[in-house]
Amino acid sequence: ETGVTQSPTHLIKTRGQQVTLRCSSQSGHNTVSWYQQALGQGPQFIFQYYREEENGRGNFPPRFSGLQFPNYSSELNVNALELDDSALYLCASSSKPGHLFSGANVLTFGAGSRLTVL
Amino acid sequence: GESVGLHLPTLSVQEGDNSIINCAYSNSASDYFIWYKQESGKGPQFIIDIRSNMDKRQGQRVTVLLNKTVKHLSLQIAATQPGDSAVYFCAERQRRVQGAQKLVFGQGTRLTINP
């Protein structure tokens, strides 16, 4: 059983550019959530994807967008990058989208993509 | 606003001692809580969870206590080992946000083990 894999692991962009981060969910998981983790902080929920549609969103502007593909993998896109977007972006997969996850269905996190915006 | 906070940002303990990491949460409607461990360069790793209808749950060397009266959560690690060094986050699951499941994380506590 493979875990959650993310790419790239590190990248550097300049302000105003666009970035795409990729995530492959754990085998058997059909739901993907994205979190932003600033340095020294806990992860913050960006959004969740289920059945290729956005299934809920946190307090992030529209320039943060995503996609989920039929194989359940996902992308996070951020347009018009700002300095404050520098963070670790975590992808997490689960087998259920709703409020039923617990125990074996908990979120499984990837190692993250470290984005630095200069 | 929503928040899950921690009483101490850092905790240093002697190897073999017990560790207690505390967490205060603000949303009384949260129904489920999780403790995660995050080692350097890795994503958060599930340790133990507890539902709001419970006040204690035990795992292997770990125990989570939930006090809903004061909205307090704690993680106890028995016989702390060097491999326990990490940042520990508590997280609460808030009711569906547009159908999604959303975890709200605290800032984290860095646990350091002294030999």
Side-chain angles (χ1 to χ4, degrees), chain A residues 8-117:
Chain A
T9 54
H10 296 82
L11 70 166
I12 300 173
K13 293 284 188 178
T14 57
R15 196 168 49 182
Q17 286 188 312
Q18 179 265 343
V19 68
T20 297
L21 308 177
R22 297 178 174 83
C23 171
S24 293
S25 60
Q26 179 170 303
S27 176
H29 286 183
N30 58 16
T31 303
V32 173
S33 302
W34 286 91
Y35 285 78
Q36 180 195 64
Q37 186 177 21
L39 194 63
Q41 302 292 321
Q44 289 194 43
F45 177 75
I46 303 175
F47 43 52
Q48 182 182 87
Y49 276 82
Y50 173 63
R51 292 182 175 175
E52 302 176 48
E53 292 188 357
E54 186 178 293
N55 189 43
R57 188 178 189 94
N59 295 324
F60 282 82
R63 59 189 185 84
F64 285 77
S65 63
L67 288 172
Q68 186 181 33
F69 301 99
N71 66 354
Y72 309 129
S73 65
S74 178
E75 286 183 355
L76 165 66
N77 299 290
V78 187
N79 294 321
L81 284 167
E82 301 177 359
L83 297 179
D84 286 349
D85 295 333
S86 294
L88 180 68
Y89 288 85
L90 295 163
C91 172
S93 70
S94 58
S95 60
K96 295 184 180 184
H99 66 292
L100 298 177
F101 79 46
S102 64
N105 295 328
V106 304
L107 291 179
T108 301
F109 283 87
S113 294
R114 171 78 60 191
L115 171 65
T116 301
V117 182

Side-chain angles (χ1 to χ4, degrees), chain A residues 33 35 37 40-43 45 48 55-57 59 88 90 96-103 106-107 109-111, chain B residues 2 31-32 34 36 38 41-44 46 49 51 89 93 95-103 105-107:
Chain A
S33 302
Y35 285 78
Q37 186 177 21
Q41 302 292 321
F45 177 75
Q48 182 182 87
N55 189 43
R57 188 178 189 94
N59 295 324
L88 180 68
L90 295 163
K96 295 184 180 184
H99 66 292
L100 298 177
F101 79 46
S102 64
V106 304
L107 291 179
F109 283 87
Chain B
E2 58 191 27
D31 66 342
Y32 177 66
I34 308 175
Y36 284 95
Q38 187 172 25
K42 297 183 180 180
F46 172 87
D49 58 356
R51 294 185 179 277
F89 294 96
R93 181 178 67 193
R95 290 290 183 183
R96 289 177 176 176
V97 176
Q98 303 168 11
Q101 197 157 208
K102 171 186 176 182
L103 291 183
F105 285 80
Q107 187 173 2

Side-chain angles (χ1 to χ4, degrees), chain B residues 10-85:
Chain B
T10 60
L11 178 64
S12 184
V13 300
Q14 292 296 123
E15 183 177 349
D17 286 353
N18 297 333
S19 302
I20 299 176
I21 301 172
N22 296 303
C23 174
Y25 64 94
S26 60
N27 192 331
S28 58
S30 294
D31 66 342
Y32 177 66
F33 304 86
I34 308 175
W35 280 99
Y36 284 95
K37 172 185 181 182
Q38 187 172 25
E39 297 174 281
S40 181
K42 297 183 180 180
Q45 178 185 7
F46 172 87
I47 301 174
I48 192 168
D49 58 356
I50 188 168
R51 294 185 179 277
S52 59
N53 61 354
M54 303 170 67
D55 53 19
K56 181 179 180 179
R57 189 157 191 233
Q58 289 184 294
Q60 187 177 16
R61 281 200 310 118
V62 293
T63 300
V64 56
L65 299 177
L66 175 62
N67 185 331
K68 293 182 289 295
T69 302
V70 295
K71 292 188 283 188
H72 183 268
L73 197 66
S74 68
L75 176 70
Q76 300 177 4
I77 305 173
T80 311
Q81 303 169 358
D84 296 327
S85 293

